[in-house]
């Protein structure tokens, strides 16, 4: 499945990645569809709220530490220059107060695609950390 095909699917926001995805399992679903590996598999269905997701990420030391622990042991490389299909942690605005949070997203051209309660959105955002799947182009 290509990234364009994946993003065009009817995505549904559901905490815990059952019957839909949240912002973190969305990236796991992309990796499952594109390379056959779901880093979120063991967490799907184990939480059903924002608090449940936050608790898992807090125990891991934050979203960057969580992603690194799931991706790097299976050969994902941390890169500085994102390419289409790379997964990363970005700073994204949440709510009306302008607060930003670190969330998982997929690189899509010059934008980052992420899943929000209103569906897939693509925005120009700053990345905090980016990983490329094993066998992907080297970081140049």
């Amino acid at each position: 499945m290509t990234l364009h095909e994946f993003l065009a699917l009817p995505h549904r926001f559901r905490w815990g990645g059952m019957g839909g995805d949240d912002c973190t399992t969305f990236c796991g679903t992309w990796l499952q569809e594109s390379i056959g590996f779901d880093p979120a598999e063991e967490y799907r269905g184990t939480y059903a709220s924002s608090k449940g997701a936050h608790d898992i990420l807090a125990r891991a030391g934050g979203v960057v530490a969580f992603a690194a622990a799931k991706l790097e042991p299976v050969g994902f490389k941390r890169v500085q220059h994102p390419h289409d299909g790379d997964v990363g942690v970005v700073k994204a605005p949440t709510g009306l107060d302008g607060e930003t949070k670190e969330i998982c997203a997929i690189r899509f051209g010059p934008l980052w695609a992420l899943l929000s309660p209103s569906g897939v959105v693509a925005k120009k955002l700053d990345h905090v950390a980016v990983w490329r799947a094993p066998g992907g182009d080297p970081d140049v």
Side-chain angles (χ1 to χ4, degrees):
M1 174 175 292
T2 70
L3 181 55
H4 286 272
E5 291 168 338
F6 177 75
L7 294 176
L9 293 173
H11 295 279
R12 182 175 166 184
F13 191 93
R14 290 287 182 262
W15 288 111
M18 300 300 287
D21 281 310
D22 56 44
C23 51
T24 304
T25 62
F26 175 68
C27 292
T29 300
W30 159 241
L31 294 174
Q32 175 64 41
E33 293 295 330
S34 62
I35 66 167
F37 168 69
D38 180 5
E41 181 177 23
E42 71 181 274
Y43 297 99
R44 291 182 186 275
T46 66
Y47 61 99
S49 67
S50 171
K51 181 186 179 325
H54 175 75
D55 290 350
I56 290 168
L57 296 173
R59 281 193 301 274
V63 67
V64 173
F66 176 82
K70 294 293 161 196
L71 299 172
E72 292 172 10
V74 295
F76 282 73
K77 299 291 184 207
R78 192 128 170 214
V79 297
Q80 295 299 314
H81 307 286
H83 294 176
D84 281 2
D86 289 348
V87 293
V89 175
V90 298
K91 289 187 178 194
T94 59
L96 299 175
D97 61 4
E99 178 185 359
T100 62
K101 291 186 179 180
E102 292 183 353
I103 63 170
C104 295
I106 306 163
R107 186 64 173 200
F108 179 59
L111 307 174
W112 287 96
L114 52 102
L115 186 61
S116 74
S118 62
V120 175
V121 295
K123 295 183 175 192
K124 187 170 177 113
L125 299 167
D126 293 327
H127 63 271
V128 177
V130 180
W131 292 268
R132 185 159 303 138
D137 293 335
D139 195 22
V140 292

